[in-house]
């Protein structure tokens, strides 16, 4: 995995807060929406911004997992490997969900096709109902005992 050219968004926001002189008593981490909008302000497309946020989250998770100090080295390695596998599996699910969603163009084309299909059904429907009515009246008159002489 390639490293981003700029530091991640959480570190950038912390640096911006330090420059303004604002001191916080508790750390408030930015939400995913804030991170995506941060990267979009920097000129990235929404999909690229989402990928960048996912990379930032992966990097943060790896740092958190690798900084655990309470386990012995062998147990720590096994625990870290399990954590990374679980995180990797969850990220794969998120990635698969992002890839399967249609984009704006596909959604627009689907809407146009649906509209055309509905217009086609609306233009054919009166002919279908008239035909069913004629078949019904023919069957009804053929099975009516009063009309058979």
């Amino acid at each position: 995995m390639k490293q981003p050219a700029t530091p991640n968004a959480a570190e950038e926001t912390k640096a911006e807060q330090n420059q303004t002189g604002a001191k916080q008593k508790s750390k408030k981490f930015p939400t995913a929406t804030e991170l995506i909008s941060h990267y979009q302000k920097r000129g990235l497309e929404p999909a690229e911004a989402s990928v960048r946020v996912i990379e930032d989250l992966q990097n943060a998770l790896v740092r958190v997992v690798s900084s655990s100090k309470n386990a012995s080295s062998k147990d720590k390695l096994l625990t870290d490997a399990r954590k990374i596998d679980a995180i990797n599996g969850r990220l794969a699910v998120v990635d698969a969900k992002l890839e399967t969603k249609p984009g704006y163009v596909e959604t627009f084309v689907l809407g146009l096709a649906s509209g055309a299909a509905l217009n086609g059904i609306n233009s054919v429907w009166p002919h279908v109902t008239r035909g069913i009515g004629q078949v019904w009246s023919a069957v009804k008159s053929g099975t009516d005992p009063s009309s058979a002489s």
Side-chain angles (χ1 to χ4, degrees), residues 20-90:
T20 60
K23 292 187 178 184
Q24 291 182 321
K25 293 181 180 178
S26 64
K27 290 183 181 179
K28 180 184 175 227
F29 294 105
T31 64
T33 308
E34 292 171 344
L35 291 174
I36 290 172
S37 65
H38 170 77
Y39 282 123
Q40 286 177 341
K41 287 178 186 175
R42 293 184 161 245
L44 293 177
E45 293 295 318
E48 293 171 337
S50 298
V51 169
R52 183 68 63 93
V53 169
I54 289 171
E55 287 176 354
D56 288 347
L57 291 173
Q58 285 175 334
N59 291 335
L61 285 172
V62 168
R63 283 194 307 266
V64 166
V65 168
S66 65
S67 68
S68 63
K69 299 174 184 174
N70 297 336
S72 68
S73 62
K74 187 175 183 182
D75 292 338
K76 180 181 169 188
L77 183 61
L78 290 174
T79 305
D80 290 347
R82 287 186 196 127
K83 287 180 183 178
I84 290 174
D85 286 343
I87 292 167
N88 202 12
R90 289 180 182 174

Side-chain angles (χ1 to χ4, degrees), residues 62-142:
V62 168
R63 283 194 307 266
V64 166
V65 168
S66 65
S67 68
S68 63
K69 299 174 184 174
N70 297 336
S72 68
S73 62
K74 187 175 183 182
D75 292 338
K76 180 181 169 188
L77 183 61
L78 290 174
T79 305
D80 290 347
R82 287 186 196 127
K83 287 180 183 178
I84 290 174
D85 286 343
I87 292 167
N88 202 12
R90 289 180 182 174
L91 286 174
V93 169
V94 169
D95 190 37
K97 286 182 180 179
L98 286 175
E99 288 179 0
T100 58
K101 295 192 186 259
Y104 294 114
V105 175
E106 292 90 356
T107 305
F108 182 72
V109 170
L110 285 171
L112 285 178
S114 300
L118 286 175
N119 282 335
I121 290 171
N122 284 338
S123 65
V124 172
W125 186 250
H127 301 292
V128 171
T129 56
R130 190 177 319 121
I132 291 172
Q134 289 173 354
V135 168
W136 182 264
S137 63
V139 169
K140 186 176 179 181
S141 66

